[in-house]
Amino acid sequence: MATGVAAWLPFARAAAIGWMPVASCPMPVAPRDHRRRQDELIVLNVSGRRFQTWRTTLDRYPDTLLGSSEKDFFYNEETKEYFFDRDPDAFRSVLNFYRTGKLHYPRHECISAYDEELTFFGIIPEIIGDCCYEEYKDRKRENLERLQDDQEENKDVKLPHMNFRETMWRAFENPHTSTMALVFYYVTGFFIAISVITNVVETVPCGSTATQKDMPCGERYTVAFFCMDTACVMIFTVEYLLRLFAAPSRYRFMRSVMSIIDVVAILPYYIGLVMTDNEDVSGAFVTLRVFRVFRIFKFSRHSQGLRILGYTLKSCASELGFLLFSLTMAIIIFATVMFYAEKGSSSSKFTSIPASFWYTIVTMTTLGYGDMVPKTIAGKIFGSICSLSGVLVIALPVPVIVSNFSRIYHQNQRADKRRAQKKARLARIRLAKSGSANAFLLSKRNGLLNELLELTGPNASEQKASKSSCLLESQHHHLLHCLEKTTAHEFVDEQLYEQNYLEAALQSFPSRRASVSSRDGATPTCCGRGAKRDATLLEAPPQPGPKQQGPLQELSAIHIQCVDRPSHSASRSKLNLKSDDVGRLNCKGGRITAAIVSLPSPPALTAPDGADLHGPPARRPPPPPLSPGPSIRTTASSANVVKVSAL
Amino acid sequence: MKSKNRESLTDSRELDGSYDPLTDSVEDDFELSTVCHRPESMDKLQEQTKFTKKELQVLYRGFKNECPSGVVNEENFKNIYSQFFPQGDSSTYAHFLFEAFDTDKNGSVSFEDFVFGLSIILRGTINDRLNWAFNLYDLNKDGCITKDEMLDIMKSIYDMMGKYTYPTMQDDAPREHVESFFQKMDQNNDGVVTIEEFIESCKKVHVHCEIVMVLPVQPWLCRSPAHLRLISNH
């Protein structure tokens, strides 16, 4: 029952008094309304705009958000109202639905925003009233097409492992995928053009020779034209066979339009080869040559406009059918009339009704060749009526076809534009993603920097103030940090990753040198050192150290300057110095011949913050003295790892 | 023109018969697409979980914002989760999480499932939480964790880190991680870790559960900021 009439129910029930006098059985007991609640006003605060309505209005549809107990989740105790953080304009339609029972779709509203609102409030879009339904469906279909378009593009992009056949098919369909495909595309296009031109030129009179008069070029240079034709047909045959081989569904391919055109285009040649000099069928053979003109349709693979035209005609099939039907009707009517009108006149060309068809068609299409003209007065009158009506009959369905073409054409233009904008869109998304990743790295650096400064400097409070932004960011970064701790790897950005990769590639080279140096300890080259299990050591360099490679590198790099031999052995002990001494060492700048990079092994990192951050139970236990990954065992190293690379 | 096919006119696919109008066209008559699920009343939820009314409200608001239809399906879940781990591929781990939350195995997580899970993780006793974690790790829910299951989970966690890590991620890093962990947990060396072994060994490592258990589901407690929205609503 429509809820709009619900208000009239008491009246209808009261009007039942009319049945009482003649009731044959006693009336049933009326249902009691147990929920004798005072109808109260509910305040719905939607992003600041307050809507008020009766509770019973909302209760009309108990399977929506507002009609069920779900709205209690949004109830604000202090202000005694229901707060929704949604769009107030869209909410108007939603509330109107409760009031009137009809859901309307506002035309200015974006379809996906509207859909979201409806889903949020638990209203099924199918109950949109008839007045707005068409518009809603149209917009929704457009939106779906747009999404499908995007999905198709994605499918094109990610293609993991295709076998040869699939690659070939894809190359055929989308020539821009590889250079070979593009070359093939242009070659076939060229040969189609050559073939068509050849067919045309074949029939042009080439000028007279001594023996005969004007004969067509085809007969004069038979061999040349035959060779040309053979070449083209060879190419077309090869192309057809390749496509047949590569097609995912051969049966479907053979049924498709282009395949039929291809076959029809090359068949005359083969038939011609087969039946060469048989006189009686040569007539038929000549007609077969007509089919060679179908080669021009092969251009539809190359031209989008042709495809659009073809598709338009196909989609306007009903309009074209109507055009044809009405024309046929008119032709028959007028031909009959003209025939009987001209029957009387002598030497009339209108010998039969079918003969008059020609006149009618020529007149209705306003061609007017003049080979058949009416002579009687009645004939002329009906002739003029015929030509006037011809204009009308033809002019009516044509605009429909034209508008169809225009719509499809614009749709394709839009699709092309979207594809062009897709690159920009993807770049934006990538930027946003890397932005969030970089934000994390930045905050990590800042965080560690701050910790370090706390350890060393007295103005720790200022650093804390500059520490990260909102709670959300810090919680997100904490999450990423936890992940790092779980896997005992750190996030880095791309360039640092490349650098490390490079270093890892080089690490095998200095390894031998490192072991040599640690043995005799007298070479001025890089040497392995055992990094102390001291977190401060790891974090010492950033503050005064040279900032060439970015703070993250510095966090784990201890630049040691090995200037000359004598200081070398002394510097070994310097590692045991406190952080600022190492810092001082770094400050010397200038020649840096080695960088010792120590892997942030889990215990070292978790030592200072072990109190508050532990990974989940699947945490790696303290690693053995030889930790995994690219590392160099040095005889002097006590615990953890050093990886040595030459800069 | 009832069923108009959406044809791709940009290339000659349709002409060559590789575009099947029957299966590839846009559905003109789309079914009632929205599956609306309404949660139980707040009072009932309050009885069954350890959240207060206000907390339930906050949770529901966040939940409903991301999933207006009232349920999360796996696609959405993976989408949401991936926004928080932009560098890596979090889909496998999100899949395991989804299985852990979807207790009635109907392919979607409703608000009740979500809240029950969160209640255990955030407000449950240590044993409850470890139980939940065990349930997460036990992929086929047969009561014991095998090494392969552990390896799957580990790989999914490592996948979330992505490529750009320091030190460079080795291919066998997850496996080694699993080896050491498994060896510690499986006390009777029978190749599987049962719930008791799991709980015992976790308790031994002095796990600080507040931080630990927040890890898998923390995304749900944050509301998406603007730039994360940008990623999803391109």
Side-chain angles (χ1 to χ4, degrees), chain A residues 63 68 70 72-73 75 119-120 141 173 252 301 311 436 472 476 486 489-492 500 597 618, chain B residues 5 10 13 16-18 28 30 38 57 60 64 68 84 86-87 161 163-167 177 222-223:
Chain A
D63 56 348
S68 65
E70 196 182 339
D72 296 333
F73 282 101
Y75 187 65
T119 324
F120 182 87
R141 194 188 315 127
E173 286 190 356
R252 203 159 16 122
R301 279 207 190 95
Y311 180 61
S436 95
L472 187 59
H476 185 208
T486 314
H489 286 70
E490 280 181 11
F491 284 113
V492 297
N500 292 341
V597 176
Chain B
N5 296 336
T10 48
R13 247 180 282 186
D16 277 314
S18 83
D28 230 21
F30 9 83
R38 205 133 282 110
Q57 279 190 339
Y60 188 69
K64 186 111 172 138
F84 292 96
Q87 281 199 333
M161 289 291 294
K163 206 170 74 141
Y164 303 125
T165 59
Y166 177 77
H177 205 148
C222 315
R223 278 194 293 272

Side-chain angles (χ1 to χ4, degrees), chain A residues 31 84 175 460 581 590:
Chain A
F84 295 98
D581 289 338

Side-chain angles (χ1 to χ4, degrees), chain A residues 483 486-487 618, chain B residues 89-97 99 135-141 144-161 171-179 181-182:
Chain A
L483 184 60
T486 314
T487 55
Chain B
D89 170 28
S90 57
S91 54
T92 330
Y93 188 69
H95 168 76
F96 295 142
L97 265 188
E99 304 266 297
N135 191 38
L136 172 69
Y137 277 63
D138 182 15
L139 298 179
N140 55 358
K141 317 284 179 236
C144 50
I145 306 179
T146 63
K147 215 178 232 190
D148 289 325
E149 291 174 338
M150 178 69 54
L151 190 59
D152 286 338
I153 294 257
M154 198 63 71
K155 270 200 256 195
S156 69
I157 296 180
Y158 272 79
D159 280 342
M160 287 201 281
M161 289 291 294
D171 283 336
D172 56 351
R175 184 171 287 281
E176 293 191 22
H177 205 148
V178 168
E179 294 292 332
F181 161 80
F182 213 76

Side-chain angles (χ1 to χ4, degrees), chain B residues 57-110:
Chain B
Q57 279 190 339
V58 168
L59 283 174
Y60 188 69
R61 263 186 254 140
F63 186 83
K64 186 111 172 138
N65 254 330
E66 278 307 322
C67 326
S69 62
V71 290
V72 198
N73 58 13
E74 199 166 329
E75 261 321 302
N76 278 348
F77 193 83
K78 283 190 185 169
N79 248 346
I80 294 168
Y81 210 74
S82 69
Q83 292 177 34
F84 292 96
F85 300 98
Q87 281 199 333
D89 170 28
S90 57
S91 54
T92 330
Y93 188 69
H95 168 76
F96 295 142
L97 265 188
F98 190 80
E99 304 266 297
F101 267 107
D102 183 18
T103 41
D104 47 4
K105 299 278 161 281
N106 60 353
S108 59
V109 168
S110 64

Side-chain angles (χ1 to χ4, degrees), chain A residues 294-466:
Chain A
F294 274 79
R295 287 178 197 171
I296 207 169
F297 284 114
K298 286 167 71 76
F299 266 130
S300 50
R301 279 207 190 95
H302 295 107
S303 155
Q304 188 176 353
L306 251 180
R307 284 196 291 270
I308 293 180
L309 192 60
Y311 180 61
T312 311
L313 291 176
K314 199 159 61 140
S315 69
C316 297
S318 58
E319 275 81 28
L320 283 174
F322 166 68
L323 177 61
L324 213 57
F325 178 67
S326 59
L327 261 180
T328 315
M329 236 173 47
I331 286 173
I332 294 178
I333 292 175
F334 280 105
T336 315
V337 166
M338 288 308 291
F339 172 70
Y340 283 112
E342 287 289 304
K343 204 161 182 212
S345 79
S346 55
S347 73
S348 142
K349 292 229 175 102
F350 295 78
T351 48
S352 66
I353 294 187
S356 318
F357 281 169
W358 174 242
Y359 168 75
T360 322
I361 292 175
V362 167
T363 313
M364 280 184 85
T365 52
T366 70
L367 274 174
Y369 287 134
D371 52 348
M372 278 166 88
V373 285
K375 294 209 174 58
T376 59
I377 296 184
K380 286 183 180 163
I381 292 174
F382 286 117
S384 30
I385 297 178
C386 175
S387 68
L388 285 173
S389 64
V391 170
L392 270 175
V393 165
I394 291 183
L396 281 176
V398 165
V400 177
I401 300 174
V402 165
S403 77
N404 250 349
F405 179 82
S406 163
R407 180 180 60 87
I408 295 165
Y409 181 71
H410 285 306
Q411 219 173 46
N412 262 279
Q413 275 202 322
R414 263 204 322 257
D416 288 338
K417 219 189 337 184
R418 258 205 309 272
R419 219 162 290 120
Q421 289 170 348
K422 194 181 177 78
K423 274 201 184 152
R425 251 196 331 214
L426 287 177
R428 258 202 338 257
I429 295 166
R430 222 174 300 132
L431 202 63
K433 272 207 176 139
S434 70
S436 95
N438 285 340
F440 172 62
L441 295 172
L442 192 67
S443 85
K444 228 178 18 156
R445 270 179 246 151
N446 288 341
L448 284 169
L449 218 63
N450 288 332
E451 281 176 33
L452 164 72
L453 290 171
E454 277 166 45
L455 290 169
T456 55
N459 20 1
S461 50
E462 325 182 334
Q463 314 305 329
K464 271 205 180 83
S466 70

